[in-house]
Amino acid sequence: MVRVGICGVTGYAGYEALKWLRRHRGVEVVFATSESQAGKSLAAVYPGPLDAPLVAVDDAPFADVDVVLLALPHGAAAQVATKALQAGCKVVDFSADFRLDTPETYARWYGHAHPFPDMLPVPYGLPEINRAAIHGARLVAAPGCYPTSVILGAMPLLRSGLVTDRTIIVDAKSGISGAGRAPKLNTLFAETHDTVTPYNIGHVHRHVGEIEQELAKLSSGAAPTVLFNPHLVPVVRGMLSALYVRIDEQVDAPTLQALYEQAYATEPFVRVLPAGQLAAMAHTTNTNMCAVSVTLAQPGLAIVMSSVDNLAKGAATQAIQCMNIICDMAETEGLL
Amino acid sequence: MVRVGICGVTGYAGYEALKWLRRHRGVEVVFATSESQAGKSLAAVYPGPLDAPLVAVDDAPFADVDVVLLALPHGAAAQVATKALQAGCKVVDFSADFRLDTPETYARWYGHAHPFPDMLPVPYGLPEINRAAIHGARLVAAPGCYPTSVILGAMPLLRSGLVTDRTIIVDAKSGISGAGRAPKLNTLFAETHDTVTPYNIGHVHRHVGEIEQELAKLSSGAAPTVLFNPHLVPVVRGMLSALYVRIDEQVDAPTLQALYEQAYATEPFVRVLPAGQLAAMAHTTNTNMCAVSVTLAQPGLAIVMSSVDNLAKGAATQAIQCMNIICDMAETEGLL
Amino acid sequence: MVRVGICGVTGYAGYEALKWLRRHRGVEVVFATSESQAGKSLAAVYPGPLDAPLVAVDDAPFADVDVVLLALPHGAAAQVATKALQAGCKVVDFSADFRLDTPETYARWYGHAHPFPDMLPVPYGLPEINRAAIHGARLVAAPGCYPTSVILGAMPLLRSGLVTDRTIIVDAKSGISGAGRAPKLNTLFAETHDTVTPYNIGHVHRHVGEIEQELAKLSSGAAPTVLFNPHLVPVVRGMLSALYVRIDEQVDAPTLQALYEQAYATEPFVRVLPAGQLAAMAHTTNTNMCAVSVTLAQPGLAIVMSSVDNLAKGAATQAIQCMNIICDMAETEGLL
Amino acid sequence: MVRVGICGVTGYAGYEALKWLRRHRGVEVVFATSESQAGKSLAAVYPGPLDAPLVAVDDAPFADVDVVLLALPHGAAAQVATKALQAGCKVVDFSADFRLDTPETYARWYGHAHPFPDMLPVPYGLPEINRAAIHGARLVAAPGCYPTSVILGAMPLLRSGLVTDRTIIVDAKSGISGAGRAPKLNTLFAETHDTVTPYNIGHVHRHVGEIEQELAKLSSGAAPTVLFNPHLVPVVRGMLSALYVRIDEQVDAPTLQALYEQAYATEPFVRVLPAGQLAAMAHTTNTNMCAVSVTLAQPGLAIVMSSVDNLAKGAATQAIQCMNIICDMAETEGLL
């Protein structure tokens, strides 16, 4: 049994992780932390089937666990990660603290110096592009939800060398749980239920940093620029990214389809839909799957639809997938 | 033209009032206040078609208006009401500050002494039961949303003398806008969207005070006790109360139906549904209507369904209806 | 490995059953039927992670399975059940075809003669009240969703002898998946999303028959009459029933609480909430749990809130729980 | 008083038209038709505040009205339009039957010959681009919902001559009422509530025909190709189109903003948001407004967000706007 600690279990992603770990046959959850609710039990502060005593991070017995899932806010995660590593734990971090490879890139996107620049770079925890590096790591930076959908959607095209314009337009739709559980005006029910709201469009959303960093590594040609246009839509969980990519005008639809099917033929958690079907949020809700469809809209323009559950493959279950890899368990354990 | 000021226009009920007043042919809106957003324009802080410069209450020109709609939080309204009255305005207050007739009842339900006990009692602003008193008033206390649906649903039965058990059970369902626009965990989208949540059931919700006060006045027999059981349901606006009332076992369904139809035959804003139809939220959304159905479930037990829009007939448009009455305008003006 | 066939996998409850069986370690799904989609694959007609070849019931290899989960519409199930039983299978039927003990009761609630009157009675598949009878059965009638929530909510009180009025009022709220997947006006998104709609209130909903039948068996006193008042609420899945029960006026709140805690102390799938918490839909969504709270609203009146997921404990997972029992597997296998 | 008849009042757009006409001071509604519900009253088949006797189209007294609003399905409208015109009525048609200028274009997008080719072309009823032609017409083809949002969003850029790439990518999100009130699997609540679903992406949605037709007329350069990618999102009403347009790299953000503000400076129903704000559905729900924002994402790429209510400015209220114009009433009457 791998002994696991979860930090930040009262956030949506941390709670989701605990929910999935109930069904995992290779782990035992030893502790669960919450700063705001320490001393209470999880069932007292969260309706739902789960329960666990909540301890403060400072009281968490890191020495008693093999691996820590770190579902803390950006900025708060890095310090706890160092503490867990010093206690001998392996760590999968859900936050953005270790996703960018250099202190310079981090400062560019997060507006301040990285607190532990010597720890960078850390393996980017997207197994489908980085499985080997994850396997040997003691610290893994699980990707953001938007980056997961965009990178998996773009990867086959970028590797193929068929992309002809380095500007990729992404129109993304996210469920509202992605904004977290802290009360804010713009995530109130009455503000969000009957509307779709774009925000941070263009080249400003922080996830652009990690998307462009990883796409550059995958590209056979020039590093892509991603114009990333996210929208809040009134679902609790789910994410759908539409990628508009200019490609070689000679490529036909069957070639595109084959490119995607081959790229993911052996991946257990990426499903390429048959030609003619379009990926929707419903394909992946409550799963660790990414569903991808590719459509030739006209000669020279491909539309990729990429769907993940922002709390699952976009956060908690992807972290568990990484945990399975770094702990030498079957990669799919607990994730079906 | 009646000159109107709105205090608290950035709350849901205040915003709703301004929305309806655009179509009112007898009024001119002179000012709109917001404590948190004073100095900005309404369109800058609220998506939607409305705009107005926002001033602080302390800077509002009460002397320039004939009537003030007071859409402030409970507790904050009373003092502003006194100020507006001293400036010569008539006032329709949306809050609970003046709904209870005595300082003692107020203290019983709100847990502290009334700040202006000498101002009580104030006419209760439910025109269908209190039109004459409203007409001559300078200050009116517009009812709460739950009380509007419950009192209008119960009134014909209580007046009839057919009620045989003084305990009335009410199972009520409310849209989430009723909880206000201040960010709170329990009104976040992700906490409310996929669930129905009961709260404050039994005899503890503060609206029970005004419901029982008004039902006592309407009853031909003993004052009723209301067991009031509210639930949050995932709609933005709307309210549906189910009233379970024990009545004389001799009463048949056509008699019940006739009782309701006669009670509201001349009321422009109460619609008694034909026998066999049940009132749903959809009957009244975005209207100043109350839709009522009455069903004889078995001999001796009537089920009344009473639907209002919590932001309209349950708040803003009911206040406008009161304003029309106290300002000698047609009662239905601006409300169709 | 227990070999399982699912009939009606393209309905919501059948699909849900297949979803849960993926995680069940004791079964192998051998076939899945769909009348409307036979010849296709499940993934082609249903977005989501599941897939299976779809066969017509007439082509299903009943002889190759040990147990059949029958998720067919009322009326269609009985005949298939007889066929499966003749092939030597055990059967858990999701429909209402075998829930009523006598042909007379069936005719009373369903309006026509039972097609196989000699097969009645069949064990009612609610393990918490009927575990022993289920264990030895070859055919089990899984309860309806509303009955599951009402019976589990009422059982401790009825057995206690404390109920003083045989009329029990139930105000129930159901997710819209309960109305099935056949296109109908009243389950369209635009008809249901912004409203709460009562229907079939009083003593007419067909589930009243099985509720009263089972409550009569549990009651220490006179058989209860249930006034059952269902509402459609805009959630996909979930169910919350509020039970208003008159009880002995001497009973205090701690006694009530203890009564419920003791009644379900050893049940893995019923959770009695601590005093002061109220059961909401969120307590049970996507689980096989029933969450129950009991509140003393005033001396002599108890309010029970009972929450189940209508597709899980109200249908598919309850059927799997029955399957586990009749196949001698651990009752909780695959259900956590 | 202008006398009005509405054909197809039990569809969503027809019902919406009747709702708005209640507040219109220049019209009297003389009849309302419904094929499926003729003989009933509207209130009996539709929850809500409206009522009207429903007659079959064949029994409608066209001779008694001045103008007919035709909210019939595509294909059914053309014949009724001819009948109404022959009776001397003016006609505003909500359907696609007369939107395309030539029989050839119609056949290209609708797959069959136009039934009345001699009637084409008909003025396209988008007042902001075609007010003069509408004014003198007896038959007007009100635009589709998607085309309204796309054409109004694109117009200032196309007229400016700044567009450098004739391919315009549109990623559009629509409320589900746009799919109509006929029961279909893909508009059921349980199929749509928790997901976002793309459909008909690329160059195949029928609205592409009218979009490209009208954009060609507005363009100073080559006729644009529109890659149009619609999604169903779980709101009842609302529409948000994101337009990705390549423009001259020299254009800066203030120039773009000024271009849009000037283009719509005198339009009562188009609101250009201030720089830095993004149009969301909430800006236009339940209004006849189009809200537009323009953002320079990077040099050479503009992102236009264009929001309309698909049932209002996208259908019913736009038709009323056209009716006001052809009947010489104030264009804004009844639409605030």
Side-chain angles (χ1 to χ4, degrees):
Chain A
M1 277 291 164
V2 171
R3 291 166 303 164
V4 182
I6 303 178
C7 293
V9 79
T10 51
Y12 291 131
Y15 190 84
E16 183 78 8
L18 181 59
K19 192 166 70 178
W20 285 81
L21 289 181
R22 280 185 306 167
R23 295 172 179 145
H24 193 294
R25 285 172 287 186
V27 304
E28 174 192 5
V29 177
V30 174
F31 68 79
T33 80
S34 166
E35 291 315 286
S36 58
Q37 307 289 341
K40 301 182 184 172
S41 80
L42 182 57
V45 298
Y46 229 119
L50 303 184
D51 202 6
L54 301 174
V55 299
V57 150
D58 286 346
D59 300 329
F62 288 106
D64 294 350
V65 300
D66 302 304
V67 62
V68 173
L69 301 182
L70 219 57
L72 298 172
H74 304 320
Q79 189 160 14
V80 179
T82 62
K83 183 173 172 183
L85 289 167
Q86 285 162 6
C89 309
K90 293 175 178 174
V91 175
V92 182
D93 180 27
F94 293 45
S95 86
D97 286 2
F98 297 107
R99 291 181 195 152
L100 296 172
D101 289 346
T102 69
E104 293 71 31
T105 324
Y106 181 87
R108 149 98 177 80
W109 287 100
Y110 289 87
H112 58 87
H114 195 283
F116 301 93
D118 295 346
M119 295 176 73
L120 300 182
V122 163
Y124 191 72
L126 190 57
E128 290 78 7
I129 64 168
N130 213 23
R131 189 168 277 118
I134 296 165
H135 185 261
R138 293 193 52 230
L139 170 61
V140 172
C145 45
Y146 285 126
T148 297
S149 69
V150 175
I151 297 168
L152 291 177
M155 186 262 271
L157 271 176
L158 288 176
R159 283 194 173 152
S160 73
L162 297 170
V163 176
T164 56
D165 186 327
R166 58 191 294 273
T167 298
I168 294 175
I169 293 171
V170 179
D171 190 297
K173 298 88 184 167
S174 173
I176 293 168
S177 61
R181 206 181 184 221
K184 285 179 287 193
L185 176 63
N186 70 338
T187 52
L188 292 185
F189 184 87
E191 301 293 315
T192 53
H193 184 246
D194 290 332
T195 187
V196 169
T197 308
Y199 67 103
N200 286 357
I201 66 169
H203 202 253
V204 297
H205 192 287
R206 287 173 166 183
H207 281 175
V208 172
E210 62 184 282
I211 294 173
E212 291 188 345
Q213 167 184 287
E214 298 302 315
L215 293 190
K217 298 175 191 170
L218 296 172
S219 297
S220 59
T225 296
V226 174
L227 295 182
F228 181 69
N229 307 292
H231 299 69
L232 279 187
V233 295
V235 301
V236 172
R237 53 196 298 157
M239 175 163 287
L240 184 70
S241 294
L243 283 63
Y244 300 97
V245 190
R246 290 177 190 261
I247 60 169
D248 186 330
E249 296 203 354
Q250 305 304 316
V251 178
D252 61 10
T255 302
L256 263 188
Q257 180 72 23
L259 180 71
Y260 273 74
E261 292 183 358
Q262 288 161 13
Y264 293 119
T266 62
E267 284 297 339
F269 295 119
V270 182
R271 175 181 170 205
V272 177
L273 295 181
Q277 286 188 31
L278 299 175
M281 282 189 186
H283 284 100
T284 62
T285 311
N286 284 314
T287 76
N288 188 47
M289 299 298 295
C290 175
V292 178
S293 63
V294 63
T295 305
L296 188 64
Q298 66 177 20
L301 201 137
I303 304 176
V304 180
M305 295 283 172
S306 178
S307 160
V308 298
D309 183 321
N310 64 303
L311 292 180
K313 180 66 174 169
T317 58
Q318 179 136 274
I320 293 172
Q321 189 179 352
C322 288
M323 178 195 78
N324 286 343
I325 296 172
I326 64 176
C327 294
D328 281 319
M329 294 185 282
E331 190 172 326
T332 58
E333 175 55 40
L335 296 175
L336 295 179
Chain B
M1 279 293 165
V2 171
R3 292 167 300 164
V4 181
I6 304 179
C7 293
V9 78
T10 50
Y12 291 131
Y15 189 86
E16 183 78 9
L18 181 59
K19 193 165 71 178
W20 284 81
L21 289 182
R22 280 185 307 165
R23 296 175 179 142
H24 193 294
R25 286 173 285 186
V27 303
E28 175 192 4
V29 177
V30 174
F31 68 79
T33 81
S34 166
E35 291 316 285
S36 57
Q37 307 289 340
K40 301 182 184 172
S41 80
L42 182 56
V45 299
Y46 230 117
L50 304 183
D51 202 6
L54 301 174
V55 299
V57 150
D58 285 346
D59 300 328
F62 288 107
D64 294 350
V65 300
D66 302 304
V67 62
V68 173
L69 301 182
L70 219 56
L72 298 173
H74 305 320
Q79 189 159 15
V80 180
T82 62
K83 183 174 171 181
L85 290 168
Q86 285 162 8
C89 310
K90 294 175 178 175
V91 174
V92 181
D93 180 27
F94 293 45
S95 86
D97 287 2
F98 298 107
R99 289 181 196 152
L100 296 171
D101 289 345
T102 68
E104 293 71 29
T105 324
Y106 182 87
R108 149 96 175 80
W109 287 101
Y110 288 86
H112 58 86
H114 195 283
F116 301 93
D118 296 344
M119 296 176 72
L120 300 181
V122 163
Y124 191 71
L126 190 58
E128 290 78 7
I129 63 168
N130 213 24
R131 189 169 276 117
I134 296 166
H135 185 261
R138 293 193 52 230
L139 170 62
V140 172
C145 46
Y146 285 126
T148 297
S149 70
V150 175
I151 297 168
L152 291 177
M155 186 261 272
L157 271 176
L158 289 176
R159 283 195 173 150
S160 73
L162 297 171
V163 176
T164 56
D165 185 328
R166 59 191 295 271
T167 297
I168 294 176
I169 293 170
V170 179
D171 190 296
K173 298 89 184 165
S174 172
I176 293 168
S177 61
R181 206 180 184 222
K184 286 178 286 191
L185 176 64
N186 70 338
T187 53
L188 292 184
F189 184 87
E191 300 293 315
T192 52
H193 184 248
D194 290 331
T195 186
V196 168
T197 308
Y199 67 104
N200 285 359
I201 65 170
H203 202 255
V204 297
H205 192 286
R206 286 173 165 183
H207 281 175
V208 172
E210 63 183 281
I211 294 173
E212 291 187 344
Q213 168 184 287
E214 298 302 315
L215 293 190
K217 298 174 191 169
L218 297 171
S219 297
S220 60
T225 295
V226 174
L227 295 183
F228 181 68
N229 307 292
H231 300 68
L232 279 188
V233 294
V235 301
V236 172
R237 52 196 298 158
M239 176 164 285
L240 184 70
S241 293
L243 283 63
Y244 299 98
V245 190
R246 290 177 190 261
I247 59 170
D248 185 329
E249 296 203 355
Q250 306 304 316
V251 178
D252 61 10
T255 302
L256 262 189
Q257 181 71 22
L259 180 71
Y260 273 73
E261 291 183 359
Q262 288 161 15
Y264 292 119
T266 62
E267 284 298 339
F269 295 118
V270 182
R271 175 181 170 205
V272 177
L273 295 181
Q277 285 188 32
L278 299 176
M281 283 189 187
H283 285 99
T284 62
T285 311
N286 283 312
T287 77
N288 188 47
M289 299 298 295
C290 176
V292 178
S293 64
V294 61
T295 305
L296 188 64
Q298 66 177 19
L301 200 136
I303 303 177
V304 180
M305 294 285 171
S306 178
S307 159
V308 298
D309 183 322
N310 64 304
L311 292 179
K313 180 66 173 169
T317 58
Q318 179 136 273
I320 293 173
Q321 190 179 351
C322 289
M323 178 195 77
N324 287 344
I325 295 172
I326 64 175
C327 295
D328 281 320
M329 295 185 281
E331 190 172 327
T332 59
E333 175 54 41
L335 296 175
L336 295 178
Chain C
M1 278 290 166
V2 171
R3 290 167 304 165
V4 181
I6 303 179
C7 292
V9 77
T10 51
Y12 291 131
Y15 190 84
E16 183 78 8
L18 181 60
K19 194 165 70 177
W20 284 80
L21 289 181
R22 280 185 308 167
R23 296 175 178 141
H24 193 293
R25 286 173 285 186
V27 304
E28 175 191 5
V29 176
V30 174
F31 68 79
T33 81
S34 165
E35 292 315 286
S36 58
Q37 307 289 341
K40 300 181 184 171
S41 80
L42 182 57
V45 299
Y46 230 119
L50 302 184
D51 202 6
L54 301 174
V55 298
V57 150
D58 285 346
D59 300 328
F62 289 106
D64 294 349
V65 301
D66 302 304
V67 62
V68 173
L69 300 182
L70 219 57
L72 297 173
H74 305 320
Q79 189 160 14
V80 180
T82 62
K83 183 174 170 180
L85 290 167
Q86 285 161 8
C89 310
K90 293 174 178 175
V91 174
V92 181
D93 180 26
F94 293 45
S95 86
D97 286 3
F98 298 108
R99 290 181 195 152
L100 296 172
D101 289 346
T102 68
E104 292 71 30
T105 324
Y106 182 88
R108 149 94 176 82
W109 287 101
Y110 288 86
H112 58 87
H114 195 283
F116 302 93
D118 295 346
M119 295 177 73
L120 300 181
V122 162
Y124 191 72
L126 190 57
E128 290 78 8
I129 64 168
N130 213 23
R131 189 169 276 118
I134 296 166
H135 185 260
R138 292 194 52 232
L139 170 61
V140 172
C145 46
Y146 285 126
T148 297
S149 70
V150 175
I151 297 167
L152 291 177
M155 186 261 271
L157 270 176
L158 289 176
R159 283 195 173 151
S160 73
L162 297 171
V163 176
T164 56
D165 186 328
R166 58 192 294 274
T167 297
I168 294 175
I169 293 171
V170 179
D171 191 296
K173 298 89 184 166
S174 172
I176 293 168
S177 61
R181 206 181 183 222
K184 286 179 287 191
L185 177 63
N186 70 339
T187 53
L188 291 184
F189 184 87
E191 300 292 317
T192 52
H193 184 246
D194 291 331
T195 187
V196 169
T197 307
Y199 68 103
N200 286 358
I201 65 169
H203 201 252
V204 297
H205 191 288
R206 286 172 165 183
H207 281 175
V208 173
E210 63 184 281
I211 294 173
E212 291 187 345
Q213 168 184 286
E214 298 303 315
L215 293 190
K217 298 175 191 170
L218 297 171
S219 298
S220 60
T225 295
V226 174
L227 295 182
F228 180 68
N229 307 292
H231 300 69
L232 279 188
V233 294
V235 300
V236 172
R237 52 196 300 158
M239 176 164 285
L240 184 70
S241 294
L243 284 63
Y244 299 97
V245 190
R246 290 178 189 261
I247 59 170
D248 185 329
E249 296 203 356
Q250 305 305 315
V251 177
D252 62 10
T255 302
L256 263 189
Q257 180 71 22
L259 180 71
Y260 272 73
E261 291 183 359
Q262 289 160 14
Y264 292 119
T266 62
E267 284 298 339
F269 294 118
V270 182
R271 176 181 169 205
V272 177
L273 295 181
Q277 285 188 31
L278 298 176
M281 283 189 187
H283 284 99
T284 61
T285 311
N286 284 313
T287 75
N288 188 47
M289 300 297 296
C290 176
V292 179
S293 63
V294 62
T295 304
L296 188 64
Q298 66 176 19
L301 200 136
I303 304 177
V304 180
M305 295 286 171
S306 178
S307 160
V308 298
D309 183 321
N310 64 303
L311 292 180
K313 180 66 172 170
T317 58
Q318 178 136 274
I320 293 172
Q321 189 180 351
C322 289
M323 177 195 78
N324 286 344
I325 295 172
I326 64 175
C327 295
D328 281 320
M329 294 185 282
E331 190 172 327
T332 59
E333 175 54 41
L335 295 174
L336 294 179
Chain D
M1 278 290 166
V2 171
R3 292 166 301 164
V4 181
I6 303 178
C7 292
V9 78
T10 50
Y12 292 131
Y15 190 85
E16 183 77 9
L18 181 59
K19 193 165 71 178
W20 284 80
L21 289 181
R22 280 185 307 164
R23 295 175 181 143
H24 193 293
R25 284 172 287 184
V27 303
E28 174 192 3
V29 177
V30 174
F31 68 79
T33 80
S34 166
E35 292 315 286
S36 58
Q37 307 290 340
K40 301 182 183 172
S41 79
L42 182 56
V45 299
Y46 229 119
L50 304 183
D51 202 5
L54 301 174
V55 300
V57 151
D58 285 346
D59 301 327
F62 288 105
D64 294 349
V65 300
D66 302 304
V67 62
V68 173
L69 300 182
L70 220 57
L72 298 173
H74 305 319
Q79 190 160 11
V80 179
T82 63
K83 183 174 172 181
L85 290 167
Q86 285 162 8
C89 310
K90 293 175 178 173
V91 175
V92 182
D93 180 27
F94 293 44
S95 86
D97 286 3
F98 298 107
R99 290 181 196 152
L100 297 172
D101 289 346
T102 69
E104 293 71 30
T105 324
Y106 181 88
R108 149 97 175 80
W109 288 100
Y110 288 87
H112 58 88
H114 195 282
F116 302 93
D118 295 345
M119 295 177 71
L120 301 180
V122 164
Y124 191 73
L126 189 58
E128 290 77 8
I129 64 169
N130 213 23
R131 189 169 277 118
I134 296 166
H135 185 259
R138 294 194 50 230
L139 170 62
V140 172
C145 46
Y146 285 127
T148 297
S149 70
V150 175
I151 297 167
L152 291 176
M155 187 262 271
L157 270 176
L158 288 177
R159 284 195 173 151
S160 72
L162 297 171
V163 177
T164 56
D165 186 327
R166 57 191 296 271
T167 298
I168 294 175
I169 293 170
V170 179
D171 190 295
K173 298 89 184 165
S174 172
I176 292 168
S177 61
R181 206 182 184 220
K184 285 178 287 192
L185 176 63
N186 70 337
T187 53
L188 292 184
F189 184 87
E191 301 292 315
T192 53
H193 184 248
D194 291 330
T195 186
V196 169
T197 308
Y199 67 104
N200 286 358
I201 66 169
H203 202 254
V204 297
H205 192 287
R206 287 172 165 182
H207 281 175
V208 173
E210 62 184 283
I211 294 173
E212 291 187 345
Q213 168 184 286
E214 299 303 316
L215 293 190
K217 299 175 190 170
L218 297 172
S219 297
S220 60
T225 296
V226 174
L227 295 182
F228 181 68
N229 307 292
H231 299 69
L232 280 187
V233 294
V235 301
V236 172
R237 53 195 300 157
M239 177 164 286
L240 183 70
S241 294
L243 283 63
Y244 299 97
V245 190
R246 288 175 191 261
I247 60 170
D248 185 328
E249 296 204 354
Q250 306 303 317
V251 178
D252 62 11
T255 303
L256 262 188
Q257 180 72 22
L259 180 70
Y260 273 73
E261 292 183 358
Q262 289 160 15
Y264 293 119
T266 62
E267 285 297 339
F269 295 119
V270 182
R271 175 180 170 206
V272 178
L273 295 182
Q277 286 187 30
L278 298 176
M281 283 190 186
H283 285 100
T284 61
T285 310
N286 284 313
T287 77
N288 188 45
M289 300 297 295
C290 175
V292 178
S293 63
V294 62
T295 305
L296 188 64
Q298 67 177 18
L301 202 137
I303 303 176
V304 180
M305 294 284 170
S306 178
S307 160
V308 298
D309 183 321
N310 65 303
L311 291 179
K313 180 66 172 169
T317 58
Q318 178 137 273
I320 293 172
Q321 190 180 351
C322 289
M323 178 196 76
N324 287 344
I325 295 172
I326 65 175
C327 295
D328 281 320
M329 295 185 283
E331 190 172 326
T332 58
E333 175 54 42
L335 295 175
L336 295 178

